[in-house]
Amino acid sequence: MANVTSLVQGFKVVGLKFCEESKGVHQLLWKKHTVRIHSECKPPDRTLFVVNVPPYCTEEAFQRLFSEYGKVQNVYFHKKPTSGPPQSAKYPHFSIVTPVLGFKVAYIVFTHSSAVKKAMAVPPSTVLVLSTKEHPVLTGVKKWHQQYNQQFISRITLNKEIKALISEYDKKKEQEQAASKQEPDNEGWVTVTSVKKKKTHMKKIDELKNKKNKKKKKKHQLVNFYTFQHRQTKIDQLAQLRKKFEEDKRRINLMKESRKFRPY
């Protein structure tokens, strides 16, 4: 590897190889995180800002790499530099979070500020190895196979997430209803809703109606309970229709005969 400048515009330049057998060396650039807007998730004194991060880098691999300088609390990947935390799904199976693809930036948050100083003091000849035999970084078919298997969710995990989502929705609706009852509108009026109870005599009338309806349903259900009864009823109805048809036919013939012209 050709020697590179130790610092480029305040960034420390460090080599990165995908594995020991890799001939090509990628350059990572990092420096101490400095922002105008303070963020609790990325404290400036304990955060290292890394740019030119290749697409194949993972949070687990970076956590292992930078643990050489100190205990790593969090690793955040972003498409562009930002002071806030990355997008995260509270319910990962019911919300869509766009993954960070291609080259990206990383924020390494340590538990102690001494780790940032140690990382900035590494020599320019340092070459980090991302994927090792003990901690391999999957690529190609193996990576696709892992992603495919991760699509299948266990029933227990899904049930827990559904219950949590429903309970949160119910709490939100209750809070909205309580707020709408107490908060005054633009004119200063407060909406008060009252639930009217049915009178006792009205309840009795409703009970009697329900009993009558139940009796009617029972009678209707008992008719033609068995299959053979249902079939026999259809046969009887068909016989009655045929009998009526013959009677109507006979009556029409009699009417025709009575209308014939008889001059003598």
Side-chain angles (χ1 to χ4, degrees), residues 44-212:
D45 59 328
R46 295 190 288 112
T47 306
L48 197 69
F49 176 52
V50 189
V51 298
N52 201 31
V53 179
Y56 49 78
C57 292
T58 62
E59 291 180 9
E60 294 81 7
F62 261 39
Q63 193 155 13
R64 180 182 57 81
L65 279 180
F66 288 93
S67 61
E68 294 181 9
Y69 312 119
K71 190 177 179 181
V72 178
Q73 184 178 340
N74 282 310
V75 176
Y76 300 116
F77 284 148
H78 294 275
K79 193 67 181 172
K80 296 178 181 179
T82 178
S83 60
Q87 275 189 321
S88 61
K90 190 175 181 181
Y91 304 105
H93 303 108
F94 293 94
S95 54
I96 299 169
V97 176
T98 307
V100 182
L101 302 174
F103 279 84
K104 49 206 168 193
V105 299
Y107 293 88
I108 317 299
V109 183
F110 295 98
T111 55
H112 299 288
S113 58
S114 60
V116 177
K117 295 176 182 177
K118 194 175 178 181
M120 291 301 297
V122 295
S125 58
T126 303
V127 177
L128 304 175
V129 179
L130 190 71
S131 180
T132 61
K133 291 181 180 179
E134 296 80 12
H135 305 281
V137 176
L138 299 180
T139 57
V141 177
K142 290 182 180 179
K143 184 179 179 181
W144 299 336
H145 186 262
Q146 185 189 54
Q147 289 174 347
Y148 177 77
N149 289 333
Q150 288 174 350
Q151 291 177 355
F152 298 95
I153 312 159
S154 67
R155 190 177 293 179
I156 296 167
T157 305
L158 195 62
N159 284 337
K160 285 181 180 178
E161 198 167 322
I162 289 169
K163 286 179 181 178
L165 186 63
I166 291 170
S167 66
E168 185 179 337
Y169 177 79
D170 292 339
K171 285 179 183 178
K172 188 178 177 182
K173 284 294 179 184
E174 287 175 4
Q175 290 173 358
E176 286 177 357
Q177 288 178 1
S180 65
K181 289 178 183 178
Q182 295 175 1
E183 290 182 3
D185 58 12
N186 296 330
E187 296 180 358
W189 295 93
V190 178
T191 305
V192 180
T193 55
S194 60
V195 180
K196 291 183 179 180
K197 294 183 178 180
K198 285 188 175 182
K199 294 179 182 179
T200 53
H201 69 277
M202 292 297 291
K203 286 183 179 179
K204 287 181 181 179
I205 291 168
D206 291 340
E207 286 175 4
L208 289 170
K209 284 181 179 178
N210 291 331
K211 283 181 181 179
K212 285 181 180 179

Side-chain angles (χ1 to χ4, degrees), residues 3-18:
N3 288 331
V4 292
T5 310
S6 176
L7 290 174
V8 177
Q9 294 183 356
F11 283 89
K12 173 70 74 172
V13 182
V14 179
L16 176 69
K17 291 171 68 175
F18 179 77

Side-chain angles (χ1 to χ4, degrees), residues 247-260 262:
E247 289 177 357
D248 291 340
K249 190 176 177 182
R250 198 181 303 111
R251 195 180 297 111
I252 290 167
N253 288 332
L254 289 171
M255 289 174 67
K256 284 181 179 180
E257 288 177 1
S258 64
R259 289 180 182 178
K260 284 183 179 179
R262 296 174 184 176

